[in-house]
Amino acid sequence: MVTAAAERPVSTWAPLRTAAYRNLWLALLAANVGTWMQTVGAQWLLIHHSNASTLVALVQTASLLPVLLLALPAGVLADNVDRRHLLIAVQLFLVAVAVALTLLTVTNRMPPALLLTLTFAFGVGQALTLPAWAAVIPELVPPDQLRSASALGSISVNVARAVGPALAGVLIARTGVAPVFALNAIAFLIFTYALVRWRPGNARAVEVPERFTAALRAGSRYVRHSPTVRRLLRRALVFVVPASALWALLPLVADRMLGLGSGGYGLLLAALGVGAVAGGLLLAVIRTRLPANQLLVIAGVLFIISLCVVATVRVVPLVLVALLPAGMAWVTVLANVNAEMQLFLPSWVRARGLAVYQVCFAGGQAAGALIWGLVAEMAGLVLAYLAAAALMLVGTLTSLIWPLPDLRIAVNRDPAAYWPQLHLAREPDPWVGPVLVMVQYTVAPERAQPFLAAMDLVRGARQRTGAMRWGLFRPAETTDRFVEVYLVPSWDEHLRQHGGRLTDEDRRAEDRARELTDGVPVVRHLVPAAAGPTLRDDHEAV
């Protein structure tokens, strides 16, 4: 059921009282610092090459493209295997990549193509990590602390953004890029050690893992038929694409427009990070005072101002001050969207849904970085930043068309297995399919129109939880009968509908429709004839 959340804000620091979350958060902070150090090191290796604008922007593209390509398969993996073991294996792979970067840089065998290839490999590890880690967080903290945990995640990333580039800038100026890559390897060893030490109190049980392709389709189907998830993804995209210009081109701003070295670039990133940390700390209080869409508009306006200042001002202190609200706006939008995704997604599809969010986030950044790099190459940095500001203005105005759901509303997404147990003459093979489910309703003619409206919500529930096709028909021979028909890929998929994919929201949708019917709906399940005799089940409810 949907209820208003308590007005008293939960402290941003509340999740850190849980020892397991605190230890992993601190270790992840070290890994985030290492990641930002590596990004700065990779970009600085390319800054003096020909076509530097495109090459520097491609570092971000190479980092984020694997998320775009692999996040959804990684989400399937995280929903079907032990997430702790998966995380440990992936972190060891990332350590190996960081060691390879270090050794090749020390031996001066790092051409741009190889650097971008290893950056892509590191991105592959990050793509496998993100859905598993995001899905673990609701298992570490109680539901009322999820928004705070999301804010802490943003604080971790942005503290790293403040510390990592500054530390990398100092190291690069004094010792070169190789030590930066070496410290990144050590940082991921720390995170690996924390994961090895973590012993989940209640290990998540995967009853019967779904087949990979079926699970991939199920995750995509859920997102496609969930208006709330689609709305959240759109809001993330219309912010991230123009905002990515600031991150992608900042090394060139530091070098060409402000005349700063690697240390100055680190200082600019540190200003963004400090603003983001401040935004994360204030978010718990601000959320209780401002509607979600007002927050979006304010964040968009702040980012537009920052883009314009960076494009037109050559005074370093003023640019640093302008970057602070950009960091605040960044964390305000993305922490809100990320927390809402974690709260809204049911547990059975959480990693896959979060993976789709990460695809949109990373894809928006990767595409944006490439686009703004090409624009800067052809038209210059100033016009690239002003064009990004104009696009951000358009995106901000779309909050009137695609508003976020009220962030102060809590939704119960716990499984609601309310369909009765099946009574069949013969149990089909789990992988037989497709399965056709037919539900016959008796509805008085005067209630036909309200029934049709109610069944539209039922359609959404069927499609989110497994139906490939859905239809509602009326027999021509009667005036009071309706037949709902939906096609499920396999018998296993239909059993999962019975066993926990449905939520309380789906139950309410079915209840509203059935209140308008007479008698008890009659349900039949039809499986392919080649699998055996046609199966029939006249039990009273699905």
Side-chain angles (χ1 to χ4, degrees):
M1 133 175 229
V2 180
T3 57
E7 288 298 318
R8 182 175 62 84
V10 176
S11 168
T12 300
W13 306 108
L16 294 179
R17 296 177 193 138
T18 303
Y21 178 83
R22 180 175 64 249
N23 294 337
L24 289 168
W25 184 85
L26 290 171
L28 184 60
L29 174 60
N32 286 335
V33 170
T35 299
W36 272 101
M37 291 177 67
Q38 175 178 299
T39 299
V40 172
Q43 289 177 324
W44 209 257
L45 279 179
L46 299 171
I47 198 77
H48 298 298
H49 281 269
S50 59
N51 300 320
S53 296
T54 302
L55 286 174
V56 168
L58 280 174
V59 171
Q60 190 173 24
T61 302
S63 299
L64 297 173
L65 187 60
V67 179
L68 181 64
L69 298 175
L70 300 176
L72 190 51
V76 172
L77 200 60
D79 275 334
N80 284 280
V81 302
D82 185 291
R83 290 169 183 157
R84 174 176 167 271
H85 292 162
L86 174 63
L87 286 168
I88 290 171
V90 173
Q91 304 325 298
L92 290 173
F93 168 76
L94 290 171
V95 170
V97 174
V99 169
L101 281 165
T102 304
L103 295 176
L104 290 167
T105 303
V106 167
T107 56
N108 199 27
R109 297 178 179 177
M110 187 63 78
L114 181 57
L115 177 61
L116 292 173
T117 299
L118 288 173
T119 301
F120 182 86
F122 200 84
V124 169
Q126 297 280 52
L128 294 172
T129 297
L130 290 172
W133 172 248
V136 158
I137 293 174
E139 301 171 14
L140 291 168
V141 301
D144 65 331
Q145 294 181 10
L146 269 178
R147 289 186 176 92
S148 295
S150 181
L152 281 171
S154 296
I155 288 173
S156 172
V157 170
N158 290 289
V159 166
R161 184 178 284 126
V163 174
L167 183 57
V170 171
L171 283 175
I172 291 169
R174 296 188 178 183
T175 63
V177 174
V180 170
F181 293 153
L183 283 176
N184 184 43
I186 294 171
F188 275 88
L189 274 175
I190 293 172
F191 188 37
T192 305
Y193 177 68
L195 288 166
V196 169
R197 288 195 60 192
W198 172 43
R199 292 291 186 270
N202 296 313
R204 181 183 65 98
V206 180
E207 295 180 359
V208 179
E210 298 178 66
R211 287 186 173 181
F212 184 83
T213 54
L216 195 64
R217 293 191 191 102
S220 302
R221 192 182 302 118
Y222 183 90
V223 170
R224 189 166 65 250
H225 295 292
S226 173
T228 298
V229 172
R230 295 200 311 272
R231 178 73 53 87
L232 291 168
L233 296 176
R234 281 196 294 264
R235 288 262 42 95
L237 270 176
V238 298
F239 178 80
V240 164
V241 171
S244 65
L246 190 60
W247 305 107
L249 302 177
L250 205 57
L252 300 172
V253 171
D255 185 59
R256 298 180 182 179
M257 296 173 66
L258 300 177
L260 302 174
S262 61
Y265 171 47
L267 188 62
L268 296 180
L269 283 176
L272 278 166
V274 168
V277 170
L281 293 174
L282 294 172
L283 202 53
V285 176
I286 295 173
R287 256 194 309 246
T288 64
R289 290 177 166 83
L290 292 175
N293 293 290
Q294 192 172 334
L295 271 176
L296 288 179
V297 172
I298 293 171
V301 170
L302 288 175
F303 215 98
I304 290 167
I305 293 171
S306 297
L307 287 168
C308 291
V309 171
V310 171
T312 58
V313 173
R314 301 294 180 268
V315 181
V316 174
L318 291 180
V319 173
L320 290 173
V321 170
L323 290 174
L324 295 174
M328 296 179 68
W330 178 269
V331 76
T332 296
V333 174
L334 297 181
N336 275 331
V337 174
N338 183 64
E340 289 303 302
M341 288 287 290
Q342 287 180 324
L343 285 164
F344 183 80
L345 289 166
S347 59
W348 70 270
V349 76
R350 182 175 292 133
R352 280 166 280 183
L354 289 168
V356 174
Y357 165 72
Q358 287 152 5
V359 166
C360 290
F361 176 73
Q365 279 194 292
L370 180 59
I371 290 167
W372 300 122
L374 293 172
V375 172
E377 194 79 50
M378 293 183 293
L381 288 170
V382 172
L383 284 178
Y385 272 114
L386 293 178
L391 187 60
M392 178 67 76
L393 176 60
V394 174
T396 301
L397 293 176
T398 62
S399 62
L400 301 175
I401 304 171
W402 300 321
L404 280 180
D406 191 337
L407 300 183
R408 293 169 292 185
I409 296 296
V411 182
N412 178 12
R413 308 302 290 166
D414 292 334
Y418 57 90
W419 286 358
Q421 185 176 0
L422 290 165
H423 300 286
L424 304 171
R426 182 182 303 171
E427 185 71 24
D429 182 272
W431 310 117
V432 71
V435 175
L436 186 68
V437 182
M438 302 176 62
V439 188
Q440 181 176 290
Y441 304 93
T442 301
V443 182
E446 63 271 16
R447 296 196 295 269
Q449 289 307 313
F451 176 76
L452 290 173
M455 287 300 291
D456 193 55
L457 296 176
V458 174
R459 172 188 56 80
R462 307 286 198 235
Q463 292 177 318
R464 284 190 298 273
T465 57
M468 298 186 298
R469 296 182 182 179
W470 183 93
L472 185 63
F473 301 90
R474 301 184 71 168
E477 294 80 7
T478 64
T479 60
D480 64 347
R481 300 292 170 88
F482 288 84
V483 179
E484 177 194 10
V485 179
Y486 60 95
L487 195 67
V488 186
S490 68
W491 185 249
D492 175 75
E493 196 96 7
H494 185 58
L495 291 180
R496 292 179 188 277
Q497 289 181 306
H498 275 268
R501 284 189 176 181
L502 298 166
T503 66
D504 194 57
E505 178 187 11
D506 302 324
R507 184 209 297 267
R508 291 197 309 274
E510 288 196 41
D511 287 347
R512 280 193 292 270
R514 293 191 177 186
E515 286 170 0
L516 299 167
T517 66
D518 297 320
V520 177
V522 177
V523 183
R524 292 180 175 84
H525 299 84
L526 306 180
V527 299
T534 300
L535 297 176
R536 218 179 117 167
D537 175 27
D538 292 333
H539 66 280
E540 293 188 343
V542 179

